[in-house]
Amino acid sequence: MTANLSETLTLLLVEDDDGDAFLVEELLKQAMAPPRIFRARSLHEARSKLTPEIQCVLVDLSLPDAARLEALDEVLALAPHTAVLVLTGLRDMHMGVSAVQSGAQDYLVKGDVDARLLARSIRYAMERKRADVAQLKLVQAELTAKENARLERALLPGPLLRTASIEHVTRYLPGSGGTLAGDFFDTVQTPDGSVHLVIGDVCGHGPDEAALGVALRIGWRTLVLAGQTGDTLLRTLDSLLRAERKDPEIFTTLCLATITPDLTHATMRLVGHPPPVLVRGSRVDVVPGSPSGPPLGIFPDAEWSVLDVPLGEEWSMMLYTDGLIEATVGDPHEFLGVDGLVALVRAHGAIDLDRLIGHVGALSDDLAVVMVRRRRA
């Protein structure tokens, strides 16, 4: 009777006994589409033949250079994403259970195998492996999503605002990798009525950079609530960055803004960061004088100049990380850029974050945006 292998597969048979290997090969020749079979007589030889094209490994547990589960463990380590079927002469049910518990998809005794059973076991082994890999990816995705949610709550907190005269809108999108990086922002209104904003970007991607962003964001909020501003605040954050970073080459860009209690004027420091976009009446432009100093973590004696920005009675302001201006627009090789961002805001007639983000294409980096607008009385 014809065995049920309906497509041509590529198998690796790890078997030192020529007679047993011949038997397996003859049984598989009866399949509807006989597989391509590579043979290895030892574990050492199998190492060089376990290439990505191998879809299933049939391994004996009695090899000249490996005994019992040692051979299986080695094969599983070498080919973690490949189905593995144990095929041996040992009639030991405990060994079979142990083999499956160790990671094999099935366990067959040579003397009990016919063509149909062997073909079916190979097919089932491959399907079980696919299911295992899919389940592992699902679990990893769920863990990543939970970790991202925890980091996002720390990186992107709600604003501490008491005034109803300020509209505050934020957006955050992870880059193409899907994992949070070190982009962060925060907004705090102090008892004197001043509104303080920060947006920052830790260079690099990964959990270490995200954790560093959390530390800097919390450090900034703590310092602002304690009444620290200006260069004192920046030098303290610079010291915090140097103490917490895993690599001495990691730096952080920042944009700091303080809006006066009457909401008509702002002072800013652009710490190696892209300039905010301002809409004042019908005029759309960026903060001049960018940058006002280098990023944190580069020069221990860095200084940052203060940028005075008149706002007037009617205004909106957008702070963002470079993931926005480095996003593609139109041509996959064309970046939005600061000029393109200003042009989009002008075309929209206002800062509309959803329309703005919807206009850009692929993100190569995390994108964080904060928009504040003075509400009309």
Side-chain angles (χ1 to χ4, degrees):
M1 186 172 290
T2 304
N4 185 25
L5 283 179
S6 57
E7 62 181 79
T8 300
L9 304 177
T10 302
L11 312 179
L12 175 62
L13 175 61
V14 187
E15 173 62 73
D16 64 320
D17 187 285
D18 291 337
D20 288 342
F22 176 79
L23 176 61
V24 171
E25 291 168 352
E26 288 299 307
L27 289 175
L28 290 175
K29 284 181 181 179
Q30 301 177 46
M32 294 175 59
R36 295 173 60 208
I37 303 175
F38 293 92
R39 166 99 182 275
R41 291 175 170 80
S42 66
L43 191 57
H44 176 74
E45 188 178 345
R47 292 189 184 101
S48 62
K49 295 187 176 182
L50 270 172
T51 60
E53 67 177 328
I54 300 298
Q55 296 167 280
C56 184
V57 180
L58 286 71
V59 59
D60 184 17
L61 294 185
S62 299
L63 297 173
D65 54 351
R68 293 181 176 266
L69 294 182
E70 181 185 352
L72 173 61
D73 292 340
E74 181 74 11
V75 169
L76 291 171
L78 292 170
H81 301 297
T82 304
V84 178
L85 183 65
V86 170
L87 188 62
T88 183
L90 298 173
R91 292 182 177 275
D92 186 339
M93 291 302 297
H94 294 293
M95 182 62 67
V97 172
S98 297
V100 173
Q101 289 176 339
S102 295
Q105 274 64 59
D106 208 344
Y107 178 96
L108 296 177
V109 177
K110 295 175 185 177
D112 298 338
V113 175
D114 59 20
R116 175 184 287 275
L117 176 60
L118 181 57
R120 185 175 61 194
S121 296
I122 291 172
R123 176 62 64 196
Y124 287 177
M126 292 178 60
E127 291 304 321
R128 279 194 290 272
K129 186 63 179 181
R130 288 193 187 101
D132 291 344
V133 171
Q135 179 64 26
L136 179 60
K137 289 181 178 179
L138 178 61
V139 171
Q140 291 173 338
E142 290 175 349
L143 290 174
T144 299
K146 290 179 181 178
E147 185 63 23
N148 281 351
R150 285 194 293 269
L151 285 170
E152 186 171 343
R153 286 193 295 272
L155 284 165
L156 317 174
L160 294 182
L161 283 172
R162 302 189 315 277
T163 179
S165 299
I166 289 284
E167 178 185 357
H168 185 278
V169 183
T170 64
R171 294 291 185 271
Y172 175 84
L173 291 174
S176 57
T179 303
L180 287 174
D183 292 18
F184 61 93
F185 54 72
D186 204 352
T187 301
V188 170
Q189 187 172 20
T190 46
D192 66 351
S194 298
V195 178
H196 305 266
L197 302 102
V198 65
I199 193 165
D201 186 358
V202 179
C203 72
H205 298 84
D208 288 342
E209 288 75 9
L212 183 54
V214 171
L216 291 171
R217 201 279 303 167
I218 294 174
W220 177 86
R221 175 174 281 204
T222 302
L223 290 166
V224 170
L225 290 174
Q228 296 296 322
T229 58
D231 284 356
T232 301
L233 180 148
L234 283 172
R235 290 201 170 91
T236 305
L237 290 180
D238 185 75
S239 298
L240 177 61
L241 169 65
R242 294 172 188 275
E244 296 294 330
R245 63 187 176 184
K246 303 295 184 181
D247 186 325
E249 295 184 355
I250 289 178
F251 61 88
T252 298
T253 68
L254 294 171
C255 174
L256 306 176
T258 298
I259 303 171
T260 55
D262 63 3
L263 307 180
T264 63
H265 194 88
T267 57
M268 296 185 187
R269 286 174 172 80
L270 301 180
V271 185
H273 201 83
V277 174
L278 294 174
V279 177
R280 291 170 287 193
S282 61
R283 181 182 175 185
V284 180
D285 50 19
V286 297
V287 173
S290 171
S292 64
L296 299 181
I298 298 180
F299 305 112
D301 56 350
E303 295 183 356
W304 301 272
S305 58
V306 179
L307 306 177
D308 291 310
V309 184
L311 297 177
E313 298 297 325
E314 182 182 345
W315 56 266
S316 56
M317 176 168 53
M318 179 172 63
L319 289 68
Y320 55 92
T321 56
D322 58 10
L324 177 59
I325 56 176
E326 291 176 0
T328 60
V329 54
D331 189 312
H333 302 291
E334 180 184 354
F335 296 126
L336 178 62
V338 175
D339 291 341
L341 178 60
V342 171
L344 274 180
V345 174
R346 285 176 180 155
H348 294 161
I351 299 176
D352 185 328
L353 296 191
D354 290 330
R355 288 182 66 191
L356 192 65
I357 293 173
H359 187 87
V360 303
L363 299 178
S364 59
D365 195 0
D366 283 24
L367 179 158
V369 187
V370 177
M371 190 279 294
V372 286
R373 177 183 289 122
R374 185 176 184 182
R375 299 182 189 275
R376 293 182 180 181

